[in-house]
Amino acid sequence: MPEARKSRREALAGLGAAPVFVLVEPQLGENIGAVARAMLNFGLTDLRLVNPRDGWPNNKAVSTASGAMAVIDGARVFDTLDEALADFRYVLATTARPRELLLPVFAPADAATTLHARIARGEPAAVLFGAERSGLDNDDLIRADGVIAIPSNPAFASLNLAQAAVIIAYEWAKAAGAAIEPGELAAASPAPKADFEGLIAHLISALDAANYFFPEDKRPVMERNLRVSFMRAGLTEQEVRTLRGAIRALEKPRRKRL
Amino acid sequence: MPEARKSRREALAGLGAAPVFVLVEPQLGENIGAVARAMLNFGLTDLRLVNPRDGWPNNKAVSTASGAMAVIDGARVFDTLDEALADFRYVLATTARPRELLLPVFAPADAATTLHARIARGEPAAVLFGAERSGLDNDDLIRADGVIAIPSNPAFASLNLAQAAVIIAYEWAKAAGAAIEPGELAAASPAPKADFEGLIAHLISALDAANYFFPEDKRPVMERNLRVSFMRAGLTEQEVRTLRGAIRALEKPRRKRL
């Protein structure tokens, strides 16, 4: 396994203490299942439900969880938000409308950093999500230490419950150090320059034999343009061999083999 | 975008301001609607569907779109991925498994930065999402300039379609404003995908005529390797023309001109 991949796995598996997601009066089992799947996608496993409308367990939740049964089976149900929050020391609440509560407001990435810091110093932490239609009301919000505002389109701000959850879970995992280098190639290093030059020389000699370079005074710019196209591709040794084989075939068509 | 660089075709299609999401053979209308809602939540409006399983329009999509009718009503349907991509100049494909395609791999935030930079210089850009069960297959992936890997839990990596979409849309909105492309290479704009596909088809037919593809069962991987080399180069329209001229010369050597 590539090292980058391994460290990601370790980062996600080694979360140990992680935030618990608390759904307040969720309505649709489908959404609860989708939240469970989203959580496990990013290495989170602890789910609590406050007074779910359609009871618990819920077959529709099982169906949309798509196999995230560790989350579904471990979900704990509470009658009130206060009971669900009793053992946490730090709570953030998601809302599309931070309102005027004088609570600290975090963007999702900053919330993730804060949650990591709190958990690292031994404070069990939770993230609250409101019901599908209404979100969290003010009585719920004032039980939180701060709010998470997902900066969405003001003209169409209301996110689906599971989509708000996946953004928070994604930012949590991202802050855990699960990083991909930008533009990283999946594998393999470029060919030695000698091989690359061999390819370019081969291409030019083949084109020369086909009287491609005309008029002659355009040759330098034509050669340069061809070279730059291939240069930019960062060809591997195997790719250089493949392209040389292709040029060879075009130079001298093979007889059909059966 | 400078008006001069914007072709008439692109202007008519209304491309250019933001990435277009392209769903390849989506199965459930519910998911298409949820993608539409997620897009509009973050200010994206252009959706394309390649061969949606249950046809289009789709009532279930309307229902889960929760009012994102601008996206649903404007969605365009195509029979093939190549048709859907013809007028883009930069395409990223989402996948949970970057595999060994030798395409650049971006984390979502870096993909968003790159998309902003490409679009800012007048290159219509698309993001591909695969079908619910299977994701994008290799034939689809190799039509992209790079892949977006959402760094998820390796033991439970498969995201719901709309949840992958919301993460990309969210990162797009987040990156609004900052747009320096990591590892930026060429200033020139890549050729439209239709031109690029023309080059690949030409190359393959020339090699075919030269009986290059042997044994026949190696053909798919040989074709794929050739394609990926050229894809990575981000060829411009001029470079595509140059390479087609080179292939033409190798196919039918010219008489020497003086």
Side-chain angles (χ1 to χ4, degrees):
Chain A
M1 178 161 38
E3 201 53 38
R5 185 83 192 279
K6 191 167 136 196
S7 62
R8 186 154 82 242
R9 176 187 300 243
E10 283 164 359
L12 287 166
L15 290 178
V20 175
F21 279 13
V22 180
L23 309 187
V24 181
E25 302 191 350
Q27 299 175 320
L28 297 170
E30 290 89 330
N31 282 334
I32 301 173
V35 168
R37 177 177 178 180
M39 291 174 65
L40 194 56
N41 281 149
F42 294 100
L44 298 174
T45 52
D46 289 337
L47 176 64
R48 296 187 179 188
L49 309 173
V50 177
N51 196 18
R53 187 191 66 187
D54 297 338
W56 194 258
N58 181 311
N59 284 335
K60 287 177 176 164
V62 170
S63 156
T64 56
S66 289
M69 292 310 295
V71 182
I72 294 291
D73 291 341
R76 296 175 59 192
V77 179
F78 297 82
D79 288 334
T80 68
L81 180 56
D82 281 335
E83 290 170 274
L85 296 184
D87 48 354
F88 294 107
R89 287 170 185 265
Y90 190 72
V91 174
L92 293 178
T94 54
T95 176
R97 305 170 296 278
R99 303 189 184 83
E100 287 153 12
L101 287 170
L102 304 184
L103 288 169
V105 178
F106 297 93
D110 300 320
T113 307
T114 299
L115 288 167
H116 274 284
R118 294 286 181 162
I119 286 168
R121 55 182 204 240
E123 303 174 8
V127 179
L128 307 189
F129 297 87
E132 286 89 340
R133 293 206 181 282
S134 47
L136 294 166
D137 64 24
N138 278 354
D139 275 354
D140 303 327
L141 286 171
I142 57 174
R143 282 165 170 72
D145 297 282
V147 301
I148 308 176
I150 300 174
S152 57
N153 177 1
F156 194 74
S158 172
L159 271 74
N160 167 272
L161 171 56
Q163 293 193 316
V166 81
I167 287 171
I168 307 304
Y170 159 77
E171 288 285 12
W172 162 263
K174 217 168 116 179
I180 292 178
E181 289 295 310
E184 157 190 14
L185 288 184
S189 59
K193 290 302 174 193
D195 294 18
F196 181 78
E197 292 303 326
L199 167 67
I200 297 298
H202 185 180
L203 176 64
I204 286 171
S205 91
L207 290 171
D208 225 1
N211 298 309
Y212 170 74
F213 296 107
F214 183 85
E216 184 63 28
D217 64 351
K218 285 272 179 66
R219 173 195 285 269
V221 71
M222 291 171 88
E223 285 191 4
R224 195 195 64 194
N225 289 347
L226 283 167
R227 164 188 286 277
V228 167
S229 311
F230 285 98
M231 179 68 88
R232 262 204 335 267
L235 301 170
T236 66
E237 284 184 70
Q238 176 55 53
E239 288 170 337
V240 166
R241 280 195 294 274
T242 299
L243 288 168
R244 293 197 66 162
I247 296 167
R248 235 174 355 254
L250 292 172
E251 282 179 303
K252 298 192 184 197
R254 302 169 185 167
R255 266 181 300 168
K256 188 151 181 68
R257 289 169 292 188
L258 298 171
Chain B
M1 172 164 48
E3 200 54 36
R5 282 186 64 183
K6 194 163 150 186
S7 80
R8 182 174 167 71
R9 181 171 51 173
E10 287 158 14
L12 287 173
L15 296 174
V20 176
F21 279 12
V22 179
L23 309 187
V24 181
E25 302 192 347
Q27 299 176 320
L28 298 169
E30 290 89 330
N31 282 333
I32 301 173
V35 168
R37 176 177 178 181
M39 289 175 67
L40 195 56
N41 280 149
F42 294 100
L44 299 174
T45 51
D46 288 337
L47 177 63
R48 295 187 178 189
L49 308 173
V50 177
N51 197 19
R53 188 190 64 186
D54 297 337
W56 193 259
N58 181 312
N59 284 334
K60 287 178 176 163
V62 171
S63 155
T64 56
S66 290
M69 292 311 294
V71 181
I72 293 291
D73 291 340
R76 296 175 59 193
V77 180
F78 297 83
D79 289 332
T80 67
L81 181 55
D82 280 337
E83 290 169 275
L85 295 185
D87 47 355
F88 295 106
R89 287 170 187 265
Y90 190 71
V91 174
L92 293 179
T94 54
T95 175
R97 304 170 297 279
R99 302 190 188 81
E100 284 153 14
L101 284 172
L102 305 185
L103 289 169
V105 178
F106 297 93
D110 300 314
T113 307
T114 298
L115 289 166
H116 274 284
R118 294 284 182 165
I119 286 167
R121 58 185 203 233
E123 302 173 10
V127 179
L128 307 188
F129 297 88
E132 287 89 339
R133 290 204 184 285
S134 46
L136 294 166
D137 65 24
N138 278 353
D139 273 355
D140 302 328
L141 286 172
I142 57 178
R143 279 164 171 74
D145 296 281
V147 301
I148 308 177
I150 299 174
S152 56
N153 177 0
F156 194 74
S158 172
L159 270 76
N160 168 270
L161 172 56
Q163 293 192 319
V166 81
I167 286 171
I168 307 304
Y170 159 77
E171 287 284 12
W172 162 262
K174 216 168 114 179
I180 294 172
E181 183 184 4
E184 175 173 350
L185 288 174
S189 167
K193 293 302 174 191
D195 294 18
F196 181 81
E197 292 300 327
L199 167 66
I200 297 298
H202 184 181
L203 176 62
I204 286 170
S205 90
L207 289 171
D208 224 2
N211 298 309
Y212 169 73
F213 296 106
F214 182 85
E216 184 62 30
D217 63 351
K218 284 272 178 65
R219 172 194 287 269
V221 72
M222 293 171 88
E223 286 191 3
R224 194 193 70 188
N225 290 346
L226 283 166
R227 163 189 285 276
V228 168
S229 310
F230 286 98
M231 178 66 88
R232 256 194 350 255
L235 300 170
T236 64
E237 284 182 73
Q238 177 55 54
E239 288 171 335
V240 165
R241 279 196 295 272
T242 299
L243 288 168
R244 293 197 66 161
I247 296 167
R248 226 165 13 243
L250 292 171
E251 281 180 305
K252 300 194 182 194
R254 300 168 186 168
R255 264 180 302 168
K256 190 156 178 65
R257 290 169 290 186
L258 296 170

